[in-house]
């Protein structure tokens, strides 16, 4: 097989890169092991412009939100299924002090944030002694539909192979790269925390972060918002609720733990006044980075080899944005954002 671009991984990064490459007229081949616990397969699909206890705006919030809106809308048309939903997040304050700091944030800059009116929240089935704030807009991506739709589209054109790629089998030739019987002009590693690209991009400052979630059935809970109270409750397209997640920088294994489940159930029972049932418990490791910025670009000495990784907690918005930048960098020689470009590191093999 001869293609323009070989892609390792069909998570958020590989899926968006294959889409952008095909839009630019390139032929692609995607190799993926379809791991069920990859972060793209257990993520809630939330795009929230606000982050942290101090409610700060996320990096590049305006550009990322605008791009995500248009990219997922075009993808919805291509795959003929709805993928993006605009909603609001109701953030219940854990204390009066948090309510006060939210009000201070509104006074300084009310972009994306406002106080919830009593009438908006009193009927909701949550314990709410300290009130709530509203974050608007927030987007919810239907990731199972996005990944399955993309997978099917690639399979239909013979462009997706289930294959565990071994970096040592990759050959760099004068006119391209070769992996077994596949020849390509370039290869891009989109393999999340699998770390295969470390062979070509050693010492990138990854800081993997484990997250656990519960999937719940909560009959009667209104599905038109996301709800937060330390943990996040997000409505999934199959009618269940996503509840999570943990952020663990230090962990011994990537699997679900009884301690997380116990803690989540305890927190939920003290906040949510409706009965719920746990349907599933999942865990995955986010490809986070020390500087909280992605790794995007082609190798300075081996320009046939590229990377799109390090999306951390924000793969839903960063992956489409930087997949597009990488393709435009290749064809139009447009610069990659300096905080994301791997040119910021000295990469020596
Ligand atoms: C609990 C949790 C909740 C999250 N919630 C959100 C959220 O609400 N919003 C948000 O924006 N982000 C969220 N994230 C982060 C987001 O999921 C990640 O940033 C994103 O999924 C990373 O995508 P990726 O394509 O880089 O990696 P991955 O999803 O890991 O995809 C990599 C793919 O490459 C394949 N692969 C790896 N090695 C090989 C190999 N050698 N050969 C072949 N195939 C290979 C894997 O099987 C996998 O399919 C969450 C993450 C977690 C863990």
């Amino acid at each position: 097989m001869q293609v323009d671009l070989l892609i390792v991984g069909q998570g958020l990064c590989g899926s968006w890169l294959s889409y952008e490459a095909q839009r630019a007229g390139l032929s692609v081949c995607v190799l993926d092991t379809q791991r069920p616990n990859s972060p793209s397969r257990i993520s809630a699909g939330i795009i929230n412009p606000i982050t942290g206890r101090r409610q700060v705006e996320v990096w590049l919030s305006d550009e990322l939100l605008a791009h995500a809106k248009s990219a997922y809308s075009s993808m919805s048309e291509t795959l003929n299924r709805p993928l993006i939903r605009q909603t609001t997040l109701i953030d219940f304050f854990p204390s009066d002090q948090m309510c006060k700091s939210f009000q201070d944030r509104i006074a300084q800059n009310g972009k994306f944030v406002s106080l919830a009116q009593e009438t908006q929240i009193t009927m909701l089935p949550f314990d709410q002694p300290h009130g709530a704030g509203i974050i608007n807009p927030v987007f919810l991506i239907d990731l199972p539909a996005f990944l399955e739709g993309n997978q099917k589209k690639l399979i239909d054109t013979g462009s997706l192979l289930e294959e565990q790629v071994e970096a040592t089998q990759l050959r760099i030739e004068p006119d391209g790269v070769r992996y077994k019987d596949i020849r390509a002009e370039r290869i891009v590693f989109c393999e999340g925390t699998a770390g295969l690209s470390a062979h070509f991009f050693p010492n990138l400052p990854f800081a993997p972060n484990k997250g656990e979630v519960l999937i719940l059935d909560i009959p009667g809970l209104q599905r038109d918002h996301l709800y937060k109270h330390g943990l996040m409750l997000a409505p999934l397209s199959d009618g269940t609720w996503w509840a999570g997640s943990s952020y663990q920088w230090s962990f011994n294994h990537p699997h679900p733990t009884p301690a997380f489940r116990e803690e989540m159930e305890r927190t939920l029972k003290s906040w949510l006044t409706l009965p719920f049932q746990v349907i599933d418990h999942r865990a995955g490791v986010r490809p986070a980075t020390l500087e909280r910025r992605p790794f995007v670009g082609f190798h300075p000495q081996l320009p046939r080899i590229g990377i799109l990784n390090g999306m951390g907690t924000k793969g839903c918005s960063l992956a489409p944005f930087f997949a597009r930048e990488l393709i435009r960098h290749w064809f139009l020689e447009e610069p990659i954002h300096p905080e994301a470009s791997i040119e910021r590191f000295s990469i020596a093999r």
Side-chain angles (χ1 to χ4, degrees), residues 8-14 31-35 38-47 143 163-166 190-196 209-213 242 245-246 282-287 308-319:
V8 182
Q10 195 244 321
L12 272 158
C13 285
L31 304 176
D32 189 276
T33 46
Q34 303 290 326
R35 289 185 192 131
S38 74
S40 301
R41 286 171 178 81
I42 66 164
S43 154
I46 300 163
I47 300 179
L143 282 181
E163 166 95 27
Q164 165 82 37
V165 176
E166 305 296 337
C190 304
E191 89 286 40
T193 52
L196 192 68
N209 179 285
K210 179 178 171 183
E212 294 188 48
V213 295
W242 185 101
S245 60
S246 57
R282 301 176 189 162
V285 181
R286 302 174 182 91
L308 183 65
N309 206 331
M311 303 297 149
T313 57
K314 301 191 171 48
C316 291
S317 54
L318 294 174

Side-chain angles (χ1 to χ4, degrees), residues 180-193:
K180 297 186 178 170
D181 60 350
I182 307 166
R183 286 170 186 276
E185 209 175 302
R186 297 199 185 200
I187 183 169
V188 175
F189 289 99
C190 304
E191 89 286 40
T193 52

Side-chain angles (χ1 to χ4, degrees), residues 212-242:
E212 294 188 48
V213 295
L214 296 183
I215 305 299
L216 306 174
D217 183 24
I218 314 178
L221 182 56
Q222 223 179 296
R223 299 183 64 80
D224 29 5
H225 305 287
L226 282 79
Y227 307 103
K228 190 174 170 204
H229 180 65
L231 66 92
M232 182 83 83
L233 274 177
L236 298 179
S237 61
D238 64 359
T240 60
W241 287 87
W242 185 101

Side-chain angles (χ1 to χ4, degrees), residues 15 45 53 69 94 144 161 185 212-213 227 267 273 343-344:
S15 298
R53 287 169 71 86
K69 222 168 140 178
L161 304 176
E185 209 175 302
E212 294 188 48
V213 295
Y227 307 103
T267 309
T273 56
E343 281 176 16
R344 67 193 191 275

